[in-house]
mmCIF file of all heavy atoms in Angstrom:
data_model
loop_
_atom_site.group_PDB
_atom_site.id
_atom_site.type_symbol
_atom_site.label_atom_id
_atom_site.label_comp_id
_atom_site.label_asym_id
_atom_site.label_seq_id
_atom_site.Cartn_x
_atom_site.Cartn_y
_atom_site.Cartn_z
ATOM 1 N N ILE A 173 -14.999 36.337 2.021
ATOM 2 C CA ILE A 173 -14.376 36.849 0.732
ATOM 3 C C ILE A 173 -15.102 38.291 0.564
ATOM 4 O O ILE A 173 -14.325 39.252 0.253
ATOM 5 C CB ILE A 173 -14.550 35.960 -0.320
ATOM 6 C CG1 ILE A 173 -13.534 34.742 -0.075
ATOM 7 C CG2 ILE A 173 -14.258 36.730 -1.685
ATOM 8 C CD1 ILE A 173 -13.787 33.655 -1.123
ATOM 9 N N LYS A 174 -16.410 38.281 0.592
ATOM 10 C CA LYS A 174 -17.079 39.577 0.306
ATOM 11 C C LYS A 174 -16.641 40.694 1.359
ATOM 12 O O LYS A 174 -16.480 41.807 1.034
ATOM 13 C CB LYS A 174 -18.599 39.381 0.402
ATOM 14 C CG LYS A 174 -19.332 40.731 0.056
ATOM 15 C CD LYS A 174 -20.871 40.469 -0.049
ATOM 16 C CE LYS A 174 -21.629 41.767 -0.367
ATOM 17 N NZ LYS A 174 -23.101 41.597 -0.510
ATOM 18 N N LYS A 175 -16.559 40.269 2.679
ATOM 19 C CA LYS A 175 -16.079 41.261 3.700
ATOM 20 C C LYS A 175 -14.787 41.655 3.390
ATOM 21 O O LYS A 175 -14.397 42.897 3.504
ATOM 22 C CB LYS A 175 -16.200 40.578 5.053
ATOM 23 C CG LYS A 175 -15.776 41.518 6.260
ATOM 24 C CD LYS A 175 -16.631 42.678 6.235
ATOM 25 C CE LYS A 175 -16.313 43.594 7.527
ATOM 26 N NZ LYS A 175 -17.100 44.769 7.706
ATOM 27 N N ALA A 176 -13.819 40.793 3.014
ATOM 28 C CA ALA A 176 -12.468 41.169 2.707
ATOM 29 C C ALA A 176 -12.385 42.228 1.452
ATOM 30 O O ALA A 176 -11.613 43.140 1.472
ATOM 31 C CB ALA A 176 -11.641 39.993 2.323
ATOM 32 N N GLN A 177 -13.331 41.848 0.555
ATOM 33 C CA GLN A 177 -13.358 42.902 -0.634
ATOM 34 C C GLN A 177 -13.866 44.344 -0.205
ATOM 35 O O GLN A 177 -13.358 45.348 -0.671
ATOM 36 C CB GLN A 177 -14.334 42.284 -1.723
ATOM 37 C CG GLN A 177 -13.761 41.161 -2.438
ATOM 38 C CD GLN A 177 -14.791 40.495 -3.348
ATOM 39 O OE1 GLN A 177 -16.009 40.760 -3.235
ATOM 40 N NE2 GLN A 177 -14.309 39.550 -4.129
ATOM 41 N N GLU A 178 -14.825 44.310 0.766
ATOM 42 C CA GLU A 178 -15.320 45.582 1.368
ATOM 43 C C GLU A 178 -14.189 46.339 2.087
ATOM 44 O O GLU A 178 -14.021 47.580 1.929
ATOM 45 C CB GLU A 178 -16.475 45.380 2.178
ATOM 46 C CG GLU A 178 -17.747 44.807 1.397
ATOM 47 C CD GLU A 178 -18.840 44.355 2.367
ATOM 48 O OE1 GLU A 178 -18.630 44.230 3.533
ATOM 49 O OE2 GLU A 178 -19.956 44.175 1.869
ATOM 50 N N VAL A 179 -13.526 45.606 2.941
ATOM 51 C CA VAL A 179 -12.373 46.246 3.660
ATOM 52 C C VAL A 179 -11.282 46.658 2.699
ATOM 53 O O VAL A 179 -10.761 47.803 2.892
ATOM 54 C CB VAL A 179 -11.835 45.209 4.704
ATOM 55 C CG1 VAL A 179 -10.521 45.722 5.321
ATOM 56 C CG2 VAL A 179 -12.884 44.805 5.702
ATOM 57 N N LEU A 180 -11.059 45.965 1.684
ATOM 58 C CA LEU A 180 -10.000 46.343 0.674
ATOM 59 C C LEU A 180 -10.337 47.564 -0.026
ATOM 60 O O LEU A 180 -9.554 48.475 -0.201
ATOM 61 C CB LEU A 180 -9.638 45.142 -0.317
ATOM 62 C CG LEU A 180 -8.590 45.428 -1.275
ATOM 63 C CD1 LEU A 180 -7.258 45.634 -0.492
ATOM 64 C CD2 LEU A 180 -8.474 44.294 -2.293
ATOM 65 N N ARG A 181 -11.651 47.771 -0.400
ATOM 66 C CA ARG A 181 -12.040 48.920 -1.025
ATOM 67 C C ARG A 181 -11.840 50.107 -0.164
ATOM 68 O O ARG A 181 -11.266 51.205 -0.651
ATOM 69 C CB ARG A 181 -13.525 48.806 -1.413
ATOM 70 C CG ARG A 181 -14.011 49.977 -2.208
ATOM 71 C CD ARG A 181 -15.461 49.983 -2.549
ATOM 72 N NE ARG A 181 -15.903 51.107 -3.347
ATOM 73 C CZ ARG A 181 -16.218 52.290 -2.713
ATOM 74 N NH1 ARG A 181 -16.318 52.451 -1.425
ATOM 75 N NH2 ARG A 181 -16.695 53.319 -3.514
ATOM 76 N N ASP A 182 -12.098 50.041 1.124
ATOM 77 C CA ASP A 182 -11.883 51.160 2.035
ATOM 78 C C ASP A 182 -10.410 51.513 2.073
ATOM 79 O O ASP A 182 -10.019 52.704 2.165
ATOM 80 C CB ASP A 182 -12.448 50.844 3.421
ATOM 81 C CG ASP A 182 -13.968 50.891 3.398
ATOM 82 O OD1 ASP A 182 -14.541 51.438 2.550
ATOM 83 O OD2 ASP A 182 -14.475 50.245 4.370
ATOM 84 N N LEU A 220 -8.917 37.743 -5.978
ATOM 85 C CA LEU A 220 -8.647 38.822 -6.942
ATOM 86 C C LEU A 220 -7.585 38.199 -8.007
ATOM 87 O O LEU A 220 -6.495 37.897 -7.521
ATOM 88 C CB LEU A 220 -8.118 39.992 -6.296
ATOM 89 C CG LEU A 220 -9.144 40.910 -5.541
ATOM 90 C CD1 LEU A 220 -8.426 42.035 -4.853
ATOM 91 C CD2 LEU A 220 -10.240 41.440 -6.502
ATOM 92 N N PHE A 246 -9.782 51.390 -9.502
ATOM 93 C CA PHE A 246 -9.644 50.151 -8.779
ATOM 94 C C PHE A 246 -10.701 50.008 -7.713
ATOM 95 O O PHE A 246 -11.321 48.951 -7.499
ATOM 96 C CB PHE A 246 -8.332 49.867 -8.160
ATOM 97 C CG PHE A 246 -8.056 48.442 -7.710
ATOM 98 C CD1 PHE A 246 -8.099 47.360 -8.426
ATOM 99 C CD2 PHE A 246 -7.751 48.325 -6.311
ATOM 100 C CE1 PHE A 246 -7.928 46.094 -7.973
ATOM 101 C CE2 PHE A 246 -7.579 47.032 -5.811
ATOM 102 C CZ PHE A 246 -7.634 45.928 -6.651
ATOM 103 N N ALA A 247 -11.024 51.151 -7.007
ATOM 104 C CA ALA A 247 -12.040 51.064 -6.059
ATOM 105 C C ALA A 247 -13.403 50.792 -6.639
ATOM 106 O O ALA A 247 -14.184 50.093 -6.113
ATOM 107 C CB ALA A 247 -12.063 52.399 -5.267
ATOM 108 N N ASP A 248 -13.634 51.438 -7.802
ATOM 109 C CA ASP A 248 -14.915 51.154 -8.549
ATOM 110 C C ASP A 248 -14.954 49.651 -8.999
ATOM 111 O O ASP A 248 -16.100 49.021 -8.955
ATOM 112 C CB ASP A 248 -15.033 52.098 -9.745
ATOM 113 C CG ASP A 248 -15.281 53.478 -9.292
ATOM 114 O OD1 ASP A 248 -15.608 53.721 -8.183
ATOM 115 O OD2 ASP A 248 -15.011 54.392 -10.203
ATOM 116 N N TYR A 249 -13.903 49.037 -9.425
ATOM 117 C CA TYR A 249 -13.791 47.667 -9.735
ATOM 118 C C TYR A 249 -14.132 46.762 -8.601
ATOM 119 O O TYR A 249 -14.958 45.807 -8.729
ATOM 120 C CB TYR A 249 -12.411 47.397 -10.227
ATOM 121 C CG TYR A 249 -12.090 45.937 -10.408
ATOM 122 C CD1 TYR A 249 -12.532 45.245 -11.644
ATOM 123 C CD2 TYR A 249 -11.265 45.251 -9.580
ATOM 124 C CE1 TYR A 249 -12.259 43.855 -11.823
ATOM 125 C CE2 TYR A 249 -10.967 43.930 -9.774
ATOM 126 C CZ TYR A 249 -11.406 43.322 -10.906
ATOM 127 O OH TYR A 249 -11.175 41.915 -11.103
ATOM 128 N N LEU A 250 -13.593 47.057 -7.391
ATOM 129 C CA LEU A 250 -13.864 46.349 -6.104
ATOM 130 C C LEU A 250 -15.417 46.461 -5.847
ATOM 131 O O LEU A 250 -16.010 45.420 -5.441
ATOM 132 C CB LEU A 250 -13.061 46.781 -5.075
ATOM 133 C CG LEU A 250 -11.556 46.472 -5.150
ATOM 134 C CD1 LEU A 250 -10.730 47.046 -3.985
ATOM 135 C CD2 LEU A 250 -11.325 44.859 -5.012
ATOM 136 N N GLN A 251 -15.992 47.599 -6.028
ATOM 137 C CA GLN A 251 -17.371 47.781 -5.684
ATOM 138 C C GLN A 251 -18.258 46.935 -6.650
ATOM 139 O O GLN A 251 -19.253 46.265 -6.234
ATOM 140 C CB GLN A 251 -17.867 49.164 -5.901
ATOM 141 C CG GLN A 251 -19.269 49.535 -5.317
ATOM 142 C CD GLN A 251 -19.459 49.147 -3.933
ATOM 143 O OE1 GLN A 251 -18.702 49.600 -3.077
ATOM 144 N NE2 GLN A 251 -20.381 48.318 -3.707
ATOM 145 N N HIS A 252 -17.866 46.847 -7.924
ATOM 146 C CA HIS A 252 -18.554 45.881 -8.860
ATOM 147 C C HIS A 252 -18.562 44.417 -8.433
ATOM 148 O O HIS A 252 -19.523 43.665 -8.426
ATOM 149 C CB HIS A 252 -18.015 45.968 -10.286
ATOM 150 C CG HIS A 252 -18.457 47.264 -10.916
ATOM 151 N ND1 HIS A 252 -19.734 47.520 -11.252
ATOM 152 C CD2 HIS A 252 -17.729 48.235 -11.461
ATOM 153 C CE1 HIS A 252 -19.907 48.628 -12.037
ATOM 154 N NE2 HIS A 252 -18.706 49.161 -12.027
ATOM 155 N N LEU A 253 -17.291 43.989 -7.907
ATOM 156 C CA LEU A 253 -17.251 42.653 -7.380
ATOM 157 C C LEU A 253 -18.096 42.402 -6.066
ATOM 158 O O LEU A 253 -18.728 41.339 -6.040
ATOM 159 C CB LEU A 253 -15.721 42.334 -7.028
ATOM 160 C CG LEU A 253 -14.755 42.291 -8.171
ATOM 161 C CD1 LEU A 253 -13.392 42.038 -7.628
ATOM 162 C CD2 LEU A 253 -15.163 41.274 -9.238
ATOM 163 N N ILE A 254 -18.107 43.451 -5.268
ATOM 164 C CA ILE A 254 -18.871 43.310 -4.008
ATOM 165 C C ILE A 254 -20.369 43.171 -4.370
ATOM 166 O O ILE A 254 -21.114 42.543 -3.724
ATOM 167 C CB ILE A 254 -18.627 44.612 -3.139
ATOM 168 C CG1 ILE A 254 -17.150 44.506 -2.699
ATOM 169 C CG2 ILE A 254 -19.599 44.700 -1.983
ATOM 170 C CD1 ILE A 254 -16.745 46.008 -2.015
ATOM 171 N N ASP A 255 -20.844 43.884 -5.425
ATOM 172 C CA ASP A 255 -22.162 43.896 -5.798
ATOM 173 C C ASP A 255 -22.568 42.651 -6.621
ATOM 174 O O ASP A 255 -23.707 42.487 -6.967
ATOM 175 C CB ASP A 255 -22.453 45.091 -6.739
ATOM 176 C CG ASP A 255 -22.407 46.418 -5.817
ATOM 177 O OD1 ASP A 255 -22.558 46.394 -4.619
ATOM 178 O OD2 ASP A 255 -22.211 47.535 -6.536
ATOM 179 N N GLY A 256 -21.605 41.726 -6.813
ATOM 180 C CA GLY A 256 -21.832 40.571 -7.470
ATOM 181 C C GLY A 256 -21.900 40.635 -8.993
ATOM 182 O O GLY A 256 -22.410 39.761 -9.741
ATOM 183 N N ASN A 257 -21.323 41.650 -9.623
ATOM 184 C CA ASN A 257 -21.334 41.854 -11.076
ATOM 185 C C ASN A 257 -20.169 41.260 -11.718
ATOM 186 O O ASN A 257 -19.003 41.132 -11.115
ATOM 187 C CB ASN A 257 -21.329 43.404 -11.327
ATOM 188 C CG ASN A 257 -22.496 44.155 -10.862
ATOM 189 O OD1 ASN A 257 -23.617 43.616 -10.829
ATOM 190 N ND2 ASN A 257 -22.308 45.357 -10.349
ATOM 191 N N CYS A 259 -17.132 41.322 -14.073
ATOM 192 C CA CYS A 259 -16.154 42.461 -14.532
ATOM 193 C C CYS A 259 -15.124 41.837 -15.367
ATOM 194 O O CYS A 259 -14.578 40.834 -15.219
ATOM 195 C CB CYS A 259 -15.535 43.099 -13.298
ATOM 196 S SG CYS A 259 -16.649 43.622 -12.125
#
Side-chain angles (χ1 to χ4, degrees):
I173 288 169
K174 183 175 181 179
K175 180 62 178 179
Q177 291 171 346
E178 292 170 349
V179 173
L180 182 59
R181 182 181 181 277
D182 290 341
L220 284 181
F246 190 61
D248 291 342
Y249 170 77
L250 289 171
Q251 188 61 57
H252 283 297
L253 294 180
I254 293 165
D255 293 339
N257 298 321
C259 302

